[in-house]
Amino acid sequence: MSSRDHFTSRIGFILAAAGSAIGLGAIWKFPYMAGTNGGSVFILLFILCTIFIGLPILISEFMIGRRGQRDPINSFKEQAPGKPWYTVGWIGLIAAGLILSFYSVVGGWILSYLFRALTFSLTGKGLNFALLFNDLITNPWEAIFAQGTFMLLTLLIVQAGIKGGIEVASKWMMPLLFIFFILLFIRSITLDGAVEGIKFMFIPDWSYFNVDTLVLALGQAFFSLSLGVCAMITYASYLAKSEKIVNSAVNVAAMNIIISLLAGLVIFPAVFALDYSPEQGPGLVFIMIPAVFEQLPMGSILLIVFFILLLFATVTSSIALLEVVVAIGIGNKTQTRKKATWIFAIIIFVIGIPSALSFGLLSDLKILDKSIFDFVDYLTSGILLPIGALMISLFAGFHYSKKISREEMQSSPFIYWTWLIIVRFIAPIAILVILLNSVLG
Ligand code: PHE
């Protein structure tokens, strides 16, 4: 896409935005966060945060991007000259870079698993999948090599400008992934003892209801909807005026919730039926997916296809992250784009190395009682994304006059007023309270 092309079709935009949103957040992070935070309560809070805070802010990002028609920093500078709103762009740059630094570590795990699946070393009776995962993440060379390869893949796609092609391909890759999840769900739910997993997901255990869970659920909603880093502002800057942003936002949020739940419905019944623990942490999906495939006929072949699809979903998000960093980093200096893409990618790769090593070599190194990987995750989802989202919410709510925002929303008065009250008061107060609690508490 050249700098000011527009999406030729509505579906093109939804695909790009949904592609950026749906990725490791829904498929990898959601199940493991739910698993370590009591399941049901986390899931409920995640859905509430998505609908009542995430969705209105997603609409705001679409609004700001479409009105600005530029990269985030220049969008804010032009729409609010002489005011400091453009700092949201810098927060976005830092947050997106940090997210990509550990995202690429997990992307690397997918490559490693794909390689193992291709050599059929992920199947076979009696394999201990937890041990297998552990072998992989504790091997420093493999972890770094895989992470680097994933970064290279992301970089080459962003640099070659074939993002559009990738998004078009995801038009059928994503539905295919969806069908796979349904298939896996059916297998998982029909295992003996699977109901326990469903109970874990849907019968609330209120002892987990506390501020920590709330912070994590809110962070998860932001992370998985790609909010607070200006990613959606960037995408919407290519959007034509005639599009209905509310509909697009509802679609993206709904798809994200559905895929998240589906990922949980595949993982948790199997966790309980096959006698694993839901509290495996970041390895949960990597441990459980091969375990479920083992229960399927032709599992070893299907597993290969699955990891290819998962890689695809992951890459459509990682290119969005790198794109944000590059777009903000170079601003108007578009002629330096190629060089900048390489430089940023290398910096992000280097920043990610400690995260890659934090499961093995550096596992004793803790910041605030967290491993490096967990700390970078917390710093982004728990702090930077909420701050970015808070500022975006205030910008859309107060900087725009009601006349402007109503025009942009093109929706019924009820929807408009609900949105306005949320972005002006409810979302900012909720985010602030949650943030303060998590930082001070
Ligand atoms: N939403 C993406 C995912 O869930 C991650 C992401 C965050 C992408 C922020 C872009 C911007 O995988």
Side-chain angles (χ1 to χ4, degrees):
M1 202 152 27
S2 80
S3 65
R4 276 309 114 193
D5 283 347
H6 284 97
F7 284 98
T8 43
S9 65
R10 195 179 116 88
I11 193 78
F13 170 69
I14 295 186
L15 277 176
S20 125
I22 295 164
L24 291 175
I27 300 166
W28 157 79
K29 201 175 175 202
F30 173 80
Y32 103 70
M33 294 298 267
T36 43
N37 292 287
S40 52
V41 170
F42 176 86
I43 294 175
L44 182 70
L45 292 176
F46 162 74
I47 294 176
L48 292 177
C49 287
T50 299
I51 296 174
F52 293 107
I53 302 182
L55 179 58
I57 293 178
L58 183 57
I59 294 173
S60 310
E61 289 212 16
F62 284 171
M63 199 181 270
I64 297 168
R66 181 169 70 177
R67 277 192 78 77
Q69 299 280 315
R70 321 270 307 256
D71 66 278
I73 293 210
N74 284 308
S75 271
F76 281 113
K77 278 194 175 152
E78 219 162 72
Q79 296 185 61
K83 303 227 172 78
W85 286 109
Y86 65 88
T87 44
V88 183
W90 294 113
I91 295 176
L93 171 99
I94 295 168
L98 285 175
I99 290 177
L100 188 53
S101 80
F102 72 87
Y103 210 86
S104 55
V105 173
V106 185
W109 297 346
I110 296 177
L111 287 177
S112 289
Y113 265 69
L114 180 59
F115 179 75
R116 282 178 170 69
L118 283 168
T119 53
F120 297 111
S121 46
L122 276 182
T123 34
K125 283 281 165 257
L127 264 185
N128 182 330
F129 294 109
L131 219 59
L132 201 112
F133 178 73
N134 202 52
D135 279 350
L136 178 120
I137 58 169
T138 48
N139 178 342
W141 298 116
E142 176 164 359
I144 295 176
F145 180 74
Q147 175 212 0
T149 311
F150 182 84
M151 264 320 274
L152 191 65
L153 190 68
T154 303
L155 154 73
L156 291 177
I157 294 170
V158 171
Q159 192 207 42
I162 48 171
K163 271 173 62 242
I166 296 284
E167 272 140 18
V168 171
S170 74
K171 196 174 185 161
W172 53 271
M173 297 285 253
M174 291 303 247
L176 209 57
L177 187 66
F178 185 77
I179 293 170
F180 254 77
F181 270 117
I182 303 269
L183 178 82
L184 291 172
F185 165 59
I186 295 172
R187 177 63 273 210
S188 188
I189 195 77
T190 48
L191 294 169
D192 265 351
V195 244
E196 284 309 310
I198 303 291
K199 285 192 197 150
F200 178 76
M201 283 182 74
F202 297 110
I203 299 182
D205 172 356
W206 295 109
S207 65
Y208 281 95
F209 185 83
N210 55 41
V211 181
D212 290 341
T213 314
L214 197 56
V215 178
L216 295 175
L218 183 70
Q220 175 65 19
F222 289 154
F223 182 90
S224 64
L225 283 176
S226 310
L227 295 178
V229 296
C230 303
M232 293 303 192
I233 294 183
T234 309
Y235 274 111
S237 68
Y238 297 102
L239 205 56
K241 269 275 175 292
S242 53
E243 297 302 333
K244 288 222 156 73
I245 52 178
V246 178
N247 281 352
S248 306
V250 170
N251 275 321
V252 172
M255 278 191 263
N256 193 49
I257 292 181
I258 293 172
I259 295 280
S260 300
L261 287 178
L262 213 47
L265 285 168
V266 171
I267 305 293
F268 292 116
V271 161
F272 288 89
L274 303 174
D275 228 11
Y276 283 86
S277 151
E279 300 192 24
Q280 312 268 359
L284 185 67
V285 173
F286 290 90
I287 295 167
M288 295 316 300
I289 290 289
V292 178
F293 273 99
E294 196 184 45
Q295 308 284 331
L296 281 173
M298 298 203 313
S300 45
I301 307 275
L302 293 176
L303 192 58
I304 297 174
V305 183
F306 179 84
F307 276 120
I308 292 175
L309 295 174
L310 182 57
L311 182 64
F312 221 84
T314 306
V315 165
T316 53
S317 302
S318 66
I319 54 180
L321 286 162
L322 186 56
E323 180 73 36
V324 168
V325 175
V326 174
I328 298 176
I330 62 174
N332 289 332
K333 299 192 266 338
T334 41
Q335 71 281 8
T336 57
R337 197 183 156 88
K338 254 206 170 101
K339 206 166 113 200
T341 310
W342 275 91
I343 294 174
F344 281 120
I346 291 171
I347 294 175
I348 292 169
F349 167 64
V350 173
I351 294 177
I353 291 177
S355 288
L357 296 179
S358 70
F359 297 90
L361 272 184
L362 299 180
S363 60
D364 290 336
L365 201 65
K366 302 272 188 225
I367 310 173
L368 297 180
D369 226 19
K370 295 176 168 60
S371 72
I372 301 168
F373 182 97
D374 286 342
F375 176 76
V376 180
D377 179 14
Y378 166 76
L379 182 64
T380 48
S381 289
I383 298 178
L384 293 175
L385 300 192
I387 294 178
L390 171 72
M391 293 178 73
I392 286 165
S393 184
L394 292 174
F395 185 85
F398 290 104
H399 182 79
Y400 287 145
S401 67
K402 287 200 207 65
K403 182 172 170 295
I404 290 180
S405 53
R406 190 182 286 148
E407 227 173 70
E408 289 284 333
M409 292 256 305
Q410 304 166 283
S411 63
S412 70
F414 175 74
I415 294 181
Y416 173 71
W417 282 99
T418 311
W419 171 84
L420 191 67
I421 291 170
I422 292 180
V423 294
R424 278 196 169 179
F425 308 108
I426 300 178
I429 293 172
I431 296 172
L432 210 61
V433 170
I434 295 173
L435 246 175
L436 288 178
N437 258 300
S438 96
V439 176
L440 305 175

